[in-house]
Structures are given as C-alpha cells and as structure tokens.
Amino acid sequence: MLVTMKEILDHANTENYGVAAPNFFCEVDARAALEAAEDLNAPIILDISYKNSMDIIFTGSYVLRLAEQAKVPVALNLDHGQNLTHAVTAIRAGFTSMMIDRSMLDFEENVRQVKKLVEIAHSVDMSVEAELGHVGKGERYQSKDCGKLTDPEDAKRFVEQTGVDCLAVSIGTAHGSYQGEPRIDFERLSRIKERVAVPLVIHGASGTGRDKLAEACRLGINKVNINNDLLQAAYEEIIAHDMSGNGAYGLWKHLKNGYKQRLMEYIQLFGGAGKAWQSNQHGLIRKEISLVE
Ligand SMILES: [Zn+2]
C-alpha cells in the first residue's frame, strides 16, 4: 500500500526502529526491495534521486503501481531533490515524499528555500525531508572539508522554522564507500534526538558497519538510506555464478537476489521486520525472471 513517508516514519519514531530506504534504479531493484519488505513484513521507503534517474516520471508510473500492490506500507521518495523543478517533477511522478537537500547552503538560506517547498509539498499531502549539516562523500572522508556535522540546537530551530516532516542529520556517515574508518558521533545523535521531535534520517549507511548502524537506530535514527552495499551484493551474486554462454540469461535474477538478500539483512538489523501495519492489499504480483529458452 502506498502511504506518505510521514506515516511510515512517525510510526518508526513512536516504536523506536529504523526503516530501510534503499535507492533503486529500475523495475528489477524496485521489485527486489518490495519483495524484501513483504517477506519480512516491514514498511519500506523507496528512494530515487533525480540525477540518477533516466526518466523519473516514467519510473514513477510503474513503481507507483508496484507500491500500490504491495501488502506492506511503501513510500516513494525523491532523494536529494534540490529545487522547485525537482519538487514539481516528484509531484507529477506521483511520489509521496521528497527530500529537499539545501544542506550546502548556510542555515538561513537553507531554511528559506526548504520552507517554501514544504508549503508546496504539504499542499498536495507529500512529506518533506531536509538535511542540516552536510553529509559528504566517503571518498573524501579523510579530508577536513568532507561534510559538516549537525549542530543539535540548530537542528531544533531548523525543524521549527521549516515545518519539515523528518530531518537528515550529519553524525559522521558519508555517501559511498569510505576512505578510512567511519567515526559515528553517537553522543551528538542523542543530543539531537532530545531536541528534535520529528523522525531522524541518516544518509551514507553503506560501509558504516552493522554494529554502528544498529546503535544509530537504537538511539533514534528512523530512516536509513542505503545504496552502495546493495549494489555490491548484487554484483557479488552475479560474479558468484557462471555467466558464460547461456549463463548470462541469469543476470537480472542474480542481481535481484543479491540486492534483495542484503537488504533483508539490513531491514532486520534496523529493527523494521514485523513492523508493517494492517493492509488489505493482495501483495506484490511476483514474476520470476526467466529469459532462458
Ligand atoms: Zn544521500
């Protein structure tokens, strides 16, 4: 069933667990993500970024149908939207939420731009995620200018002034694979959680480590964005099989299995398994990929 991200994250915030938010690219990984959620009876948030989508309106047209058919709560979220064009495109694509990432701007300008788009999104019942502080890239993790940690007092003011439904915080994670060992500031997370009532989000979960992610969810992270680790798992599954000759017909199946299995591990780790609430939907229509013969 298709729901707003707010509905999913408010539930997670009340019950203190994390919802997996895998990035997807096409029908194959979207189906893998929905199946993983259904198999574990977990709510899920499908994230797709504007810049990584080939055609976000077209993608929305089919993922929306899959989400409506799913027997667990599903939200479709535009990841790292940046401006009015992205926001309106997400609305046209039928998404139920959008991230407006203006975290590279100073506080006042971030507030000003996000607040304006929150008003538009809320007028069509879409949830909004924004980011304060800045989550950098893992490949630059060792450099001093990789990201900026979230100030707890600023986080409180930002949520009050913008009216966002959830907040992405910077506590030491980074996008993509890390150069060096990730250092997560749990004390900072606790201080943010004490001050901010809306659900909290982390980006850049891949490579952070199972124990650290579990601890982050225990301390109040409610949405965990994950991408690279799922792609790595898909790749590992593909190369574990003989892809020569007709073996190549198994490409999409192996990709889907690898992605799905790793995502299931993460859903369980974040505490989302068994947390889906009642729906009378009939479940995702499954079709095994079989192109051989
Ligand atoms: Zn991100």
Side-chain angles (χ1 to χ4, degrees), residues 65-141:
R65 286 197 197 177
L66 292 177
E68 283 165 351
Q69 290 166 6
K71 65 182 180 187
V72 293
V74 181
L76 284 184
N77 181 46
L78 174 71
D79 196 24
H80 291 288
Q82 295 195 329
N83 53 40
L84 183 62
T85 301
H86 294 180
V88 172
T89 307
I91 293 169
R92 286 181 59 210
F95 284 30
T96 57
S97 76
M98 60 176 88
M99 180 197 191
I100 300 300
D101 179 10
R102 308 310 288 141
S103 61
M104 64 296 291
L105 302 175
D106 63 39
F107 181 90
E108 302 300 336
E109 189 57 18
N110 190 351
V111 167
R112 194 186 71 77
Q113 294 192 19
V114 168
K115 189 178 174 188
K116 188 171 115 188
L117 294 173
V118 164
E119 203 176 317
I120 292 168
H122 283 181
S123 71
V124 287
D125 200 24
M126 283 177 82
S127 318
V128 178
E129 171 188 343
E131 179 172 316
L132 187 69
H134 182 65
V135 177
K137 290 194 166 77
E139 67 205 33
R140 295 180 49 78
Y141 200 65

Side-chain angles (χ1 to χ4, degrees), residues 107 132-134 148-158 167 169-171 188 191-192 195-196:
F107 181 90
L132 187 69
H134 182 65
K148 180 173 177 288
L149 298 177
T150 306
D151 178 87
E153 291 298 336
D154 283 351
K156 181 173 187 289
R157 286 196 300 134
F158 185 85
L167 182 69
V169 293
S170 179
I171 54 169
R188 181 180 298 269
R191 284 193 288 132
I192 297 169
R195 289 163 176 78
V196 173

